[in-house]
Amino acid sequence: MSDAKEKLAPFLTMALERGVDHARIIETPSIITAPWVRLKCQFGCFGYGRGLCCPPYTPTPEGMRGILDSYSHAILLHRHWQKGYAVLDEFNELVVDIEKALFLDGYYKAWGMGSGPCRRCKKCDPTGSCLHADRSRPSMEACGIDAFATAREHDLPIQVLRTHKEERDIFGVVLVE
Ligand code: SF4
């Protein structure tokens, strides 16, 4: 772990310089998946089936567990989001930028997940191909990751929102080995 920490430190700096509150190198077993996460997408979210970065087009929790287990480490990112979708978009851009920077540095398996549904196009057509496949990434939750349990596993703040106006904490993760 200390070797990974040293080698990946520049990518943490990159994240912190671009506005995240926390950037941590973690081991992938501490990223928690659960079967119920899919239910929350399927029953209760307007986005189910409407976008290529949402279920059922994303990995199932079981599939995601297998993917996570094929990596040793990840960079977990957290940002406290106060107002406006610009912060969310900026955060999700950062996830992809870190993934790409890792890839170009030789970490050929690097792959990232952001927060919330993809908002790149006004309307997503799930019967077609992605219009921005190089930059669109699903969220952690869309891939069956329990973001609450994962954040709390790493002593990061997260809470249930009671209104859409409340301040919130958003998370992303970039898998790396
Ligand atoms: S980039 Fe556009 S087409 Fe691709 S998943 Fe996002 S909204 Fe859909």
Side-chain angles (χ1 to χ4, degrees), residues 12-87:
L12 304 189
T13 304
M14 175 182 171
L16 292 165
E17 283 176 354
R18 287 190 41 191
V20 303
D21 295 298
H22 296 96
R24 298 212 180 131
I25 297 160
I26 62 171
E27 294 179 354
T28 48
S30 68
I31 301 174
I32 297 162
T33 54
W36 64 263
V37 179
R38 193 74 160 198
L39 285 183
K40 289 284 188 182
C41 292
Q42 192 168 356
F43 304 100
C45 181
F46 68 90
Y48 184 82
R50 292 193 179 175
L52 290 163
C53 281
C54 286
Y57 305 105
T58 49
T60 62
E62 297 73 24
M64 195 65 219
R65 186 74 261 158
I67 293 166
L68 292 170
D69 292 345
S70 71
Y71 290 81
S72 56
H73 291 88
I75 296 176
L76 179 63
L77 305 166
H78 159 248
R79 184 165 176 173
H80 188 72
W81 179 31
Q82 289 166 326
K83 265 186 187 169
Y85 280 102
V87 172

Side-chain angles (χ1 to χ4, degrees), residues 3-4 7-8 11 99 101-111 175-177:
D3 195 32
K7 286 184 179 159
L8 295 172
F11 301 96
E99 177 202 296
L102 283 163
F103 178 78
L104 293 175
D105 201 42
Y107 294 95
Y108 63 93
K109 288 168 65 175
W111 191 70
L175 305 176
V176 62
E177 184 166 278

Side-chain angles (χ1 to χ4, degrees), residues 52-53 118 120-121 124 129-132 136:
L52 290 163
C53 281
C118 182
R120 282 185 182 277
C121 307
C124 192
S129 301
C130 179
L131 301 178
H132 302 280
S136 66

